[in-house]
Amino acid sequence: MARGEESGDDGRGGGAYTGASDARLTELLRADAPAAHEALRELRARHWLPVLAYARLCATSDSAARRLAAQAFSLAAQETVRGTDPHGPWRHRLLLLTVRAAVDAASDERARELDPGLSARLRAAGPEGPVPPMLDAFQSLPSRVQGLVWYAIVEREPEDGTAGLLGLTREDVTYGTEPALQALRSAFLKRHLAASGDPHCQDFRRLIEEAVRADGPRRSEDLRAHMAGCAHCTTAYEELSALRDDPGAALAEGLLPWGGTAYGTAAAARSRTDAPGPRRLRDTVLTWPPSRRAALVSAALGVALVPLVLLLGSAPADTAAERTGGAVPPVPPPVTVTATVPTTPAPSVTETVPTPSPTRSSPPRRVSPSPSSAVPAPPPPSPPDGDYAQVVNLSSGLCLDIAHGEIEKGTDVVSAPCSSDDTQRWRVDTDRQAVQSYADPDFCLDSRGDTDRGVGIWECDSLDGRNGRNLRFEVTSRGVILPDIDSGRAVTPGDGGELVLSPDTGRAEQRWRAGAGPV
């Protein structure tokens, strides 16, 4: 990889180890103090902006985001000096550590600095924080394969940039990326089906692989019938379909515990902005004043770590790239709507219920029937009344969403993998018999006045007009959404994520429950 000018146009820090791979920099972090100092400065130069962009998705202010990002680098350096092998791409590790820093912040007065949606997610996940659905499979792969998947597919790094970060040749990247993605697909499907608790799921592994082939998928009626009653295999099918259709977005959502879609979108934007040359991440090399934490940390870890903590004492100042780079995701606006984040509902003795998540999808939890149960458990909570929350399909685990995020009259409403997007939050206005969008409260669910045209969104003001019935829905206590134009039909997922109005038969795929919502 060619070395850039002193301005850092090659996207590196311009120091002694500009051309070193991340693995080599990891070795140097455990070396003598001057080498460790330079190695950490180089790692920070090449990874700071993406990590800060992700931290901005987690925080309510730029200063809070900088603290989260700086803490992620500090944790990574401390773990490396202690001998913990990253065993994977540095940037992905730093993003996971950013969420770990947020978990720590959520337990004290810093909680108010976190994005409200993330705070809700952390409360629902427990003390260890949320676990991305594909992380276990990803970390089971060799570090080289992980690096190719992350940098080449999620980050959309140029081939030369990926090769430089991983210490590979350009040919290694060119011919190794697709096999790496296939290895992840296989690892995910194998582990996901093994975790189902149902031995029959393993029998459908090959059929699922055939059903999601890029070169002519092969449909199976046996698989379709099985998935009708198995949310676990349905989730596997949906995840692998997403990996086939848009691997970058699917991986960002599946490998990050929060904000994967937004981060993946920003990564794609950075790639388009920086093409065709290597990624430009920093324009200057900065130094920072010493921190009082140096003495405390060095006492525990040894004097070799002192230069690292000095370097990590504070976040760097703004660079021109940060001030003008449109690829950095904006800080999400504060949420002022109060909502209830329900705990996982108790499923009935005959159903498999996926656990709700504002990320793409978490591995469903299969509940075995209790032999002593005489009375079925109460049904999950129906879609939210009064508060905004996700509306999650009881059978598929997918969320009610606005297609392509386009808030325009007539846009389709679809079922999609659950994420942190505002377009997946809804509320039931029982007074007006309307299902209102959180992304734009001026828009409501619309039946389009016909049972054969699916559902979309339309301006809620039309409730008072001559076509008001089109926007009115009844949401039953069982979570069935019935259009006023024909109360014998229910909002039902169709093929390819579309929604249809089909005869109400009471089956699980016609039932919706409240998921996580903004707080």
Short mmCIF file of all heavy atoms in Angstrom, two decimals, residues 218-267:
data_model
loop_
_atom_site.label_atom_id
_atom_site.label_comp_id
_atom_site.label_asym_id
_atom_site.label_seq_id
_atom_site.Cartn_x
_atom_site.Cartn_y
_atom_site.Cartn_z
N ARG A 218 -34.31 -22.51 -4.82
CA ARG A 218 -35.18 -23.66 -5.00
C ARG A 218 -36.18 -23.72 -3.86
O ARG A 218 -35.81 -23.89 -2.70
CB ARG A 218 -34.35 -24.95 -5.04
CG ARG A 218 -33.37 -24.99 -6.21
CD ARG A 218 -32.52 -26.25 -6.18
NE ARG A 218 -31.56 -26.26 -7.27
CZ ARG A 218 -30.63 -27.21 -7.44
NH1 ARG A 218 -30.57 -28.23 -6.59
NH2 ARG A 218 -29.78 -27.14 -8.46
N ARG A 219 -37.45 -23.56 -4.18
CA ARG A 219 -38.50 -23.54 -3.17
C ARG A 219 -38.87 -24.96 -2.75
O ARG A 219 -38.77 -25.91 -3.53
CB ARG A 219 -39.74 -22.83 -3.71
CG ARG A 219 -39.47 -21.48 -4.35
CD ARG A 219 -38.90 -20.49 -3.34
NE ARG A 219 -38.65 -19.19 -3.95
CZ ARG A 219 -38.07 -18.18 -3.32
NH1 ARG A 219 -37.67 -18.34 -2.06
NH2 ARG A 219 -37.87 -17.03 -3.93
N SER A 220 -39.29 -25.08 -1.52
CA SER A 220 -39.69 -26.38 -0.99
C SER A 220 -40.99 -26.22 -0.20
O SER A 220 -41.05 -25.39 0.73
CB SER A 220 -38.59 -26.95 -0.08
OG SER A 220 -39.07 -28.02 0.70
N GLU A 221 -41.97 -26.97 -0.56
CA GLU A 221 -43.23 -26.93 0.18
C GLU A 221 -43.06 -27.47 1.59
O GLU A 221 -43.71 -27.01 2.54
CB GLU A 221 -44.31 -27.73 -0.57
CG GLU A 221 -44.79 -27.06 -1.84
CD GLU A 221 -45.34 -25.66 -1.58
OE1 GLU A 221 -46.03 -25.46 -0.55
OE2 GLU A 221 -45.06 -24.75 -2.39
N ASP A 222 -42.17 -28.45 1.76
CA ASP A 222 -41.90 -28.97 3.10
C ASP A 222 -41.32 -27.88 3.99
O ASP A 222 -41.70 -27.75 5.16
CB ASP A 222 -40.93 -30.14 3.03
CG ASP A 222 -41.55 -31.40 2.42
OD1 ASP A 222 -42.80 -31.47 2.41
OD2 ASP A 222 -40.80 -32.28 1.97
N LEU A 223 -40.38 -27.09 3.43
CA LEU A 223 -39.79 -26.01 4.21
C LEU A 223 -40.84 -24.94 4.53
O LEU A 223 -40.91 -24.44 5.65
CB LEU A 223 -38.62 -25.39 3.45
CG LEU A 223 -37.96 -24.17 4.12
CD1 LEU A 223 -37.40 -24.54 5.48
CD2 LEU A 223 -36.87 -23.60 3.22
N ARG A 224 -41.65 -24.60 3.54
CA ARG A 224 -42.68 -23.59 3.76
C ARG A 224 -43.64 -24.02 4.88
O ARG A 224 -44.01 -23.24 5.75
CB ARG A 224 -43.46 -23.34 2.47
CG ARG A 224 -44.56 -22.27 2.61
CD ARG A 224 -45.35 -22.19 1.32
NE ARG A 224 -44.55 -21.65 0.24
CZ ARG A 224 -44.43 -20.36 -0.03
NH1 ARG A 224 -45.06 -19.46 0.71
NH2 ARG A 224 -43.70 -19.95 -1.05
N ALA A 225 -44.03 -25.29 4.85
CA ALA A 225 -44.93 -25.79 5.89
C ALA A 225 -44.26 -25.78 7.26
O ALA A 225 -44.89 -25.45 8.27
CB ALA A 225 -45.39 -27.21 5.52
N HIS A 226 -42.97 -26.14 7.30
CA HIS A 226 -42.25 -26.13 8.57
C HIS A 226 -42.12 -24.72 9.13
O HIS A 226 -42.34 -24.49 10.32
CB HIS A 226 -40.87 -26.75 8.38
CG HIS A 226 -39.99 -26.66 9.60
ND1 HIS A 226 -40.19 -27.41 10.73
CD2 HIS A 226 -38.90 -25.88 9.85
CE1 HIS A 226 -39.27 -27.12 11.63
NE2 HIS A 226 -38.47 -26.19 11.12
N MET A 227 -41.77 -23.77 8.26
CA MET A 227 -41.57 -22.40 8.72
C MET A 227 -42.86 -21.75 9.19
O MET A 227 -42.85 -20.82 9.99
CB MET A 227 -40.92 -21.54 7.63
CG MET A 227 -39.48 -21.90 7.36
SD MET A 227 -38.58 -20.61 6.42
CE MET A 227 -39.59 -20.47 4.97
N ALA A 228 -44.00 -22.23 8.72
CA ALA A 228 -45.28 -21.69 9.15
C ALA A 228 -45.46 -21.85 10.65
O ALA A 228 -46.17 -21.06 11.29
CB ALA A 228 -46.42 -22.34 8.40
N GLY A 229 -44.80 -22.87 11.24
CA GLY A 229 -44.92 -23.08 12.67
C GLY A 229 -43.61 -22.96 13.42
O GLY A 229 -43.56 -23.26 14.61
N CYS A 230 -42.54 -22.56 12.75
CA CYS A 230 -41.23 -22.48 13.39
C CYS A 230 -40.62 -21.10 13.16
O CYS A 230 -40.10 -20.81 12.07
CB CYS A 230 -40.29 -23.56 12.85
SG CYS A 230 -38.63 -23.51 13.58
N ALA A 231 -40.69 -20.25 14.16
CA ALA A 231 -40.11 -18.91 14.04
C ALA A 231 -38.59 -18.96 13.93
O ALA A 231 -37.97 -18.08 13.34
CB ALA A 231 -40.52 -18.06 15.25
N HIS A 232 -37.98 -20.02 14.50
CA HIS A 232 -36.53 -20.11 14.48
C HIS A 232 -36.01 -20.29 13.05
O HIS A 232 -35.10 -19.58 12.61
CB HIS A 232 -36.07 -21.27 15.35
CG HIS A 232 -34.76 -21.02 16.03
ND1 HIS A 232 -34.65 -20.44 17.26
CD2 HIS A 232 -33.50 -21.25 15.61
CE1 HIS A 232 -33.38 -20.34 17.59
NE2 HIS A 232 -32.66 -20.82 16.61
N CYS A 233 -36.58 -21.22 12.33
CA CYS A 233 -36.16 -21.44 10.94
C CYS A 233 -36.58 -20.27 10.05
O CYS A 233 -35.88 -19.94 9.08
CB CYS A 233 -36.73 -22.74 10.41
SG CYS A 233 -35.91 -24.22 11.10
N THR A 234 -37.70 -19.64 10.37
CA THR A 234 -38.11 -18.46 9.62
C THR A 234 -37.09 -17.35 9.76
O THR A 234 -36.73 -16.68 8.79
CB THR A 234 -39.49 -17.97 10.09
OG1 THR A 234 -40.45 -19.01 9.88
CG2 THR A 234 -39.92 -16.73 9.33
N THR A 235 -36.59 -17.16 10.99
CA THR A 235 -35.57 -16.14 11.22
C THR A 235 -34.30 -16.45 10.43
O THR A 235 -33.68 -15.57 9.83
CB THR A 235 -35.25 -16.03 12.71
OG1 THR A 235 -36.42 -15.62 13.41
CG2 THR A 235 -34.14 -15.01 12.96
N ALA A 236 -33.89 -17.73 10.45
CA ALA A 236 -32.70 -18.13 9.69
C ALA A 236 -32.88 -17.83 8.21
O ALA A 236 -31.98 -17.29 7.54
CB ALA A 236 -32.41 -19.61 9.90
N TYR A 237 -34.05 -18.17 7.67
CA TYR A 237 -34.33 -17.90 6.26
C TYR A 237 -34.28 -16.40 5.96
O TYR A 237 -33.69 -15.98 4.95
CB TYR A 237 -35.70 -18.48 5.91
CG TYR A 237 -36.18 -18.11 4.52
CD1 TYR A 237 -35.73 -18.80 3.40
CD2 TYR A 237 -37.07 -17.06 4.34
CE1 TYR A 237 -36.16 -18.45 2.13
CE2 TYR A 237 -37.51 -16.71 3.07
CZ TYR A 237 -37.06 -17.41 1.98
OH TYR A 237 -37.49 -17.06 0.73
N GLU A 238 -34.89 -15.60 6.83
CA GLU A 238 -34.91 -14.15 6.61
C GLU A 238 -33.51 -13.56 6.68
O GLU A 238 -33.13 -12.70 5.86
CB GLU A 238 -35.81 -13.48 7.66
CG GLU A 238 -37.27 -13.85 7.56
CD GLU A 238 -37.95 -13.22 6.36
OE1 GLU A 238 -37.35 -12.37 5.71
OE2 GLU A 238 -39.10 -13.60 6.07
N GLU A 239 -32.72 -13.99 7.65
CA GLU A 239 -31.36 -13.46 7.79
C GLU A 239 -30.49 -13.82 6.58
O GLU A 239 -29.75 -12.99 6.05
CB GLU A 239 -30.71 -13.99 9.07
CG GLU A 239 -31.34 -13.48 10.36
CD GLU A 239 -30.98 -12.04 10.66
OE1 GLU A 239 -30.16 -11.46 9.91
OE2 GLU A 239 -31.51 -11.49 11.63
N LEU A 240 -30.59 -15.06 6.14
CA LEU A 240 -29.79 -15.48 4.99
C LEU A 240 -30.27 -14.81 3.70
O LEU A 240 -29.46 -14.51 2.82
CB LEU A 240 -29.83 -17.00 4.85
CG LEU A 240 -29.12 -17.77 5.97
CD1 LEU A 240 -29.27 -19.27 5.76
CD2 LEU A 240 -27.64 -17.41 6.04
N SER A 241 -31.56 -14.57 3.60
CA SER A 241 -32.07 -13.83 2.44
C SER A 241 -31.51 -12.42 2.43
O SER A 241 -31.13 -11.89 1.38
CB SER A 241 -33.60 -13.80 2.47
OG SER A 241 -34.15 -15.09 2.35
N ALA A 242 -31.46 -11.79 3.60
CA ALA A 242 -30.90 -10.44 3.69
C ALA A 242 -29.41 -10.45 3.36
O ALA A 242 -28.92 -9.54 2.68
CB ALA A 242 -31.13 -9.88 5.10
N LEU A 243 -28.68 -11.46 3.81
CA LEU A 243 -27.27 -11.57 3.47
C LEU A 243 -27.06 -11.73 1.98
O LEU A 243 -26.06 -11.26 1.42
CB LEU A 243 -26.65 -12.76 4.21
CG LEU A 243 -26.25 -12.54 5.66
CD1 LEU A 243 -25.81 -13.86 6.29
CD2 LEU A 243 -25.14 -11.50 5.78
N ARG A 244 -27.98 -12.39 1.32
CA ARG A 244 -27.88 -12.56 -0.14
C ARG A 244 -28.20 -11.26 -0.86
O ARG A 244 -27.49 -10.87 -1.80
CB ARG A 244 -28.86 -13.65 -0.58
CG ARG A 244 -28.96 -13.85 -2.09
CD ARG A 244 -30.22 -14.60 -2.43
NE ARG A 244 -31.41 -13.85 -2.04
CZ ARG A 244 -32.59 -14.41 -1.79
NH1 ARG A 244 -32.75 -15.71 -1.85
NH2 ARG A 244 -33.62 -13.64 -1.45
N ASP A 245 -29.25 -10.55 -0.43
CA ASP A 245 -29.73 -9.39 -1.16
C ASP A 245 -28.93 -8.13 -0.87
O ASP A 245 -28.71 -7.30 -1.77
CB ASP A 245 -31.20 -9.15 -0.82
CG ASP A 245 -32.08 -10.32 -1.23
OD1 ASP A 245 -31.68 -11.08 -2.13
OD2 ASP A 245 -33.17 -10.48 -0.63
N ASP A 246 -28.51 -7.93 0.37
CA ASP A 246 -27.76 -6.72 0.75
C ASP A 246 -26.82 -7.10 1.89
O ASP A 246 -27.08 -6.78 3.05
CB ASP A 246 -28.72 -5.61 1.18
CG ASP A 246 -28.01 -4.26 1.33
OD1 ASP A 246 -26.76 -4.24 1.28
OD2 ASP A 246 -28.70 -3.24 1.51
N PRO A 247 -25.72 -7.77 1.57
CA PRO A 247 -24.86 -8.31 2.64
C PRO A 247 -24.28 -7.23 3.55
O PRO A 247 -24.16 -7.45 4.76
CB PRO A 247 -23.76 -9.05 1.88
CG PRO A 247 -23.82 -8.53 0.48
CD PRO A 247 -25.23 -8.14 0.23
N GLY A 248 -23.94 -6.07 3.01
CA GLY A 248 -23.36 -5.03 3.85
C GLY A 248 -24.32 -4.58 4.94
O GLY A 248 -23.96 -4.49 6.12
N ALA A 249 -25.55 -4.29 4.55
CA ALA A 249 -26.54 -3.84 5.53
C ALA A 249 -26.90 -4.95 6.51
O ALA A 249 -27.04 -4.71 7.71
CB ALA A 249 -27.79 -3.35 4.80
N ALA A 250 -27.06 -6.18 6.00
CA ALA A 250 -27.42 -7.29 6.88
C ALA A 250 -26.33 -7.57 7.90
O ALA A 250 -26.62 -7.86 9.07
CB ALA A 250 -27.70 -8.54 6.04
N LEU A 251 -25.08 -7.48 7.48
CA LEU A 251 -23.98 -7.75 8.41
C LEU A 251 -23.84 -6.64 9.44
O LEU A 251 -23.57 -6.91 10.62
CB LEU A 251 -22.67 -7.90 7.62
CG LEU A 251 -22.55 -9.20 6.82
CD1 LEU A 251 -21.37 -9.12 5.85
CD2 LEU A 251 -22.39 -10.39 7.75
N ALA A 252 -24.02 -5.39 9.02
CA ALA A 252 -23.93 -4.29 9.98
C ALA A 252 -24.99 -4.46 11.07
O ALA A 252 -24.73 -4.25 12.25
CB ALA A 252 -24.10 -2.95 9.27
N GLU A 253 -26.19 -4.85 10.67
CA GLU A 253 -27.28 -5.04 11.63
C GLU A 253 -27.06 -6.30 12.46
O GLU A 253 -27.41 -6.35 13.64
CB GLU A 253 -28.61 -5.12 10.89
CG GLU A 253 -29.82 -4.98 11.79
CD GLU A 253 -29.96 -3.60 12.40
OE1 GLU A 253 -29.63 -2.60 11.74
OE2 GLU A 253 -30.40 -3.54 13.56
N GLY A 254 -26.49 -7.34 11.86
CA GLY A 254 -26.31 -8.60 12.56
C GLY A 254 -25.09 -8.67 13.44
O GLY A 254 -24.99 -9.56 14.30
N LEU A 255 -24.13 -7.74 13.26
CA LEU A 255 -22.87 -7.80 14.02
C LEU A 255 -22.69 -6.64 14.98
O LEU A 255 -21.69 -6.58 15.69
CB LEU A 255 -21.68 -7.85 13.05
CG LEU A 255 -21.60 -9.09 12.16
CD1 LEU A 255 -20.44 -8.99 11.18
CD2 LEU A 255 -21.46 -10.37 13.01
N LEU A 256 -23.63 -5.71 15.00
CA LEU A 256 -23.57 -4.60 15.94
C LEU A 256 -24.77 -4.66 16.87
O LEU A 256 -25.89 -4.95 16.44
CB LEU A 256 -23.55 -3.26 15.20
CG LEU A 256 -22.28 -2.95 14.40
CD1 LEU A 256 -22.44 -1.64 13.63
CD2 LEU A 256 -21.06 -2.88 15.31
N PRO A 257 -24.56 -4.38 18.15
CA PRO A 257 -25.67 -4.49 19.11
C PRO A 257 -26.66 -3.35 19.05
O PRO A 257 -27.72 -3.41 19.65
CB PRO A 257 -24.96 -4.53 20.46
CG PRO A 257 -23.66 -3.84 20.22
CD PRO A 257 -23.28 -4.11 18.80
N TRP A 258 -26.32 -2.29 18.31
CA TRP A 258 -27.21 -1.12 18.24
C TRP A 258 -26.87 -0.31 17.00
O TRP A 258 -25.70 -0.16 16.64
CB TRP A 258 -27.05 -0.24 19.47
CG TRP A 258 -27.77 1.07 19.37
CD1 TRP A 258 -27.22 2.30 19.12
CD2 TRP A 258 -29.17 1.29 19.49
NE1 TRP A 258 -28.19 3.25 19.06
CE2 TRP A 258 -29.41 2.67 19.30
CE3 TRP A 258 -30.25 0.45 19.73
CZ2 TRP A 258 -30.69 3.21 19.35
CZ3 TRP A 258 -31.52 1.00 19.79
CH2 TRP A 258 -31.73 2.37 19.60
N GLY A 259 -27.89 0.21 16.31
CA GLY A 259 -27.68 1.15 15.22
C GLY A 259 -26.95 0.59 14.03
O GLY A 259 -26.29 1.34 13.30
N GLY A 260 -27.07 -0.71 13.77
CA GLY A 260 -26.34 -1.30 12.66
C GLY A 260 -26.74 -0.74 11.31
O GLY A 260 -25.89 -0.49 10.46
N THR A 261 -28.04 -0.53 11.12
CA THR A 261 -28.50 -0.02 9.83
C THR A 261 -27.93 1.36 9.55
O THR A 261 -27.43 1.63 8.44
CB THR A 261 -30.04 0.03 9.80
OG1 THR A 261 -30.56 -1.29 9.93
CG2 THR A 261 -30.54 0.63 8.49
N ALA A 262 -27.99 2.24 10.54
CA ALA A 262 -27.47 3.59 10.36
C ALA A 262 -25.97 3.58 10.12
O ALA A 262 -25.45 4.31 9.26
CB ALA A 262 -27.81 4.45 11.57
N TYR A 263 -25.24 2.75 10.86
CA TYR A 263 -23.79 2.69 10.67
C TYR A 263 -23.45 2.13 9.29
O TYR A 263 -22.55 2.64 8.61
CB TYR A 263 -23.14 1.82 11.74
CG TYR A 263 -21.63 1.79 11.62
CD1 TYR A 263 -20.85 2.81 12.13
CD2 TYR A 263 -20.99 0.75 10.94
CE1 TYR A 263 -19.47 2.80 11.99
CE2 TYR A 263 -19.62 0.72 10.80
CZ TYR A 263 -18.86 1.75 11.33
OH TYR A 263 -17.50 1.73 11.17
N GLY A 264 -24.16 1.08 8.86
CA GLY A 264 -23.89 0.51 7.54
C GLY A 264 -24.17 1.49 6.43
O GLY A 264 -23.43 1.57 5.44
N THR A 265 -25.24 2.29 6.58
CA THR A 265 -25.56 3.31 5.58
C THR A 265 -24.45 4.35 5.50
O THR A 265 -24.04 4.78 4.41
CB THR A 265 -26.89 3.99 5.92
OG1 THR A 265 -27.93 3.00 5.94
CG2 THR A 265 -27.24 5.07 4.91
N ALA A 266 -23.94 4.76 6.66
CA ALA A 266 -22.85 5.73 6.69
C ALA A 266 -21.58 5.16 6.08
O ALA A 266 -20.84 5.86 5.39
CB ALA A 266 -22.59 6.19 8.13
N ALA A 267 -21.32 3.87 6.34
CA ALA A 267 -20.13 3.24 5.76
C ALA A 267 -20.21 3.23 4.24
O ALA A 267 -19.22 3.49 3.54
CB ALA A 267 -19.98 1.82 6.29
#
